[in-house]
Structures are given as C-alpha cells and as structure tokens.
Amino acid sequence: SGHAEDAIALYKAIRPDSAGYLESQRSAAELLEKEGKVDEAITYLEETFNVNKDVNALIQIGDVYRRAERHLDAITAYDRAEEALGGKVSAAHWNLLYARGMSYERSGNFKRAEDDLVTAMEFKPDHPYLLNYLGYSWADQGKKLEHALELITKAANLMPEDGYIIDSLGWVYYKMGQYEEAAKELEKAVELVPYDQTINEHLGDAYWQVGRKNEARFQWQRAMNAAKDEKDK
C-alpha cells in the first residue's frame, strides 16, 4: 500500500526463532533495494549472512549488484555463495549459476558465462528464460546458431506471448541470414512489446536486409526515441 518504511520495519522485527525469519530479512533487503538504498540493502544482507550463514542472502547480494549493473561485484558475491555451499552448486541453487552466467556475459567473459548457463540447464532444461538467455547469447556472438535456434524455439513454444523471447527468435534467424523469417518473427515481437529499443532496432535491421528501407528507418527512429541512454542513441 505504499508504506515501504513501515513494511521494512515489520520485516526487521520478526524474531530469529520464527519460522519465517530468514525470508523476512531478505524481504526487508529487497524493499530497501526497491527504495533505491542499494548499499544499505547489501549491508543488511551481509549482516544476515554473518549472523545466520544464510547462503541465499549471499545470492541476493549478487542479484542486487547485478541489477545495479555492477557485474564484477555480483560475480564476487556469487562466488562467495558457491564457496559457502562447499564449492559445488546443487539443483536447489541452480539460480546461482543462471545469475552468475548473466553477469559473466554482461561483463564480457563469454566462456565462463556459457559454462554456468549450460550447467544451470542441466538442472532446468525447460526453463524458458534460461533457454532464451543462452540461445540469445550465442546468436549475438554469431556462434552455435543451429543450437541457439533450437533453444530459443523451445523457449518460444513454452512462452509464445513473450515479446522478448520472440525477439530472440527473430534475431537468431537474422544472424543465420534468414532475413524474411527474421522480419516475420520480429514483427510479432514488436506487436507484443511495441516500444522497446532493442526490438525496434532489430526489426529495422531485418527490414533493411529485405529491402523495406523506409520501414527500416521508421523502426530505427522508434528505437532512438525509446532509448534512454545517449550512448545507445
């Protein structure tokens, strides 16, 4: 109901001997992050881990850093979580591998990203976002395109109304040189997510390749209008 500070205070008031204690501490940190108090959220999660040895608190620290685009810090937190688990990640913490893989990919370490994402898929072979992330990562690098298409097609069949996954499907077709097929899928993606910088840009690229140059310029202009970062523009 919009009273974040009151909610945080209530979460923090949960007693250590209560069944929901650890979850309540992580919820307090989550709200601190949503309120823009990133460093305070991380400090609170560090205290939670130091007192309770809650590995999920360390994973959440990594998630906070990742959402703040501080990917090297995120990787350090995920590594600490893996160490706290005895150096081996089980199915119960597959999300650690998925999250660390994303941070490795965003920081340019594609080999380590691939290792984590492939291992995560062994635990969750039908997770649409995991399938999509790994497939898109390969497509964007122009590697393993047939395998990327297989993964993204599976993700799209699981979630056909997700515009971002359909964008990935169009983009892998584009990278394979199948521009007509790419344009068809990217048109669907734009219908599902009308004003997204990346999707509009991808559709413009596909239109250009099939000779629809005026429509390409229109989509690129929409991409520029949707871009918030001057570097992206």
Side-chain angles (χ1 to χ4, degrees):
S1 60
H3 298 275
E5 293 299 329
D6 292 336
I8 291 167
L10 285 167
Y11 280 132
K12 287 183 176 182
I14 302 297
R15 290 172 43 166
D17 58 351
S18 296
Y21 170 68
L22 292 177
E23 184 181 357
S24 73
Q25 303 312 290
R26 296 193 297 271
S27 295
E30 182 181 349
L31 276 179
L32 286 167
E33 180 192 0
K34 287 180 179 177
E35 289 295 292
K37 300 176 181 179
V38 170
D39 290 333
E40 189 176 339
I42 290 168
T43 298
Y44 194 71
L45 288 165
E46 287 283 6
E47 292 172 358
T48 299
F49 174 72
N50 290 335
V51 172
N52 305 288
K53 302 306 176 189
D54 178 19
V55 174
N56 288 318
L58 283 180
I59 296 173
Q60 189 171 340
I61 290 171
D63 292 343
V64 173
Y65 278 132
R66 178 171 51 82
R67 286 188 285 265
E69 302 288 336
R70 295 165 62 176
H71 293 290
L72 296 180
D73 290 329
I75 290 166
T76 298
Y78 295 134
D79 286 347
R80 288 172 61 202
E82 183 178 41
E83 184 180 348
L85 289 167
K88 187 171 179 62
V89 179
S90 67
H93 292 95
W94 71 273
N95 57 310
L96 188 163
L97 296 167
Y98 178 26
R100 188 172 63 184
M102 287 191 283
S103 282
Y104 272 132
E105 190 270 335
R106 294 299 299 275
S107 59
N109 192 334
F110 299 114
K111 177 63 174 68
R112 294 295 299 272
E114 182 176 327
D115 289 345
D116 273 351
L117 294 169
V118 168
T119 305
M121 275 188 54
E122 292 175 6
F123 297 126
K124 291 286 182 178
D126 297 319
H127 193 288
Y129 296 125
L130 180 52
L131 290 163
N132 180 63
Y133 199 96
L134 180 56
Y136 184 86
S137 176
W138 281 337
D140 217 33
Q141 297 173 65
K143 60 184 284 190
K144 300 185 180 181
L145 294 177
E146 291 292 344
H147 196 183
L149 177 60
E150 180 185 336
L151 297 185
I152 297 169
T153 299
K154 185 176 181 180
N157 288 335
L158 290 166
M159 297 192 71
E161 299 302 313
D162 188 299
Y164 297 101
I165 292 177
I166 304 305
D167 168 66
S168 297
L169 184 58
W171 193 236
V172 73
Y173 278 127
Y174 181 92
K175 297 294 268 188
M176 296 173 80
Q178 298 182 33
Y179 301 120
E180 293 285 355
E181 195 67 30
K184 184 175 74 172
E185 296 299 336
L186 290 165
E187 284 174 340
K188 294 179 190 175
V190 164
E191 287 179 14
L192 292 165
V193 186
Y195 294 101
D196 179 87
Q197 168 195 328
T198 301
I199 299 176
N200 288 126
E201 182 182 0
H202 285 170
L203 180 56
D205 293 351
Y207 278 158
W208 187 267
Q209 292 290 350
V210 297
R212 297 165 66 177
K213 296 191 174 182
N214 286 335
E215 291 169 280
R217 293 188 183 94
F218 177 76
Q219 291 299 328
W220 288 332
Q221 186 63 56
R222 291 183 78 175
M224 286 179 63
N225 293 341
K228 296 176 182 177
D229 185 276
E230 286 301 317
K231 184 179 177 182
D232 288 342
K233 288 186 182 185

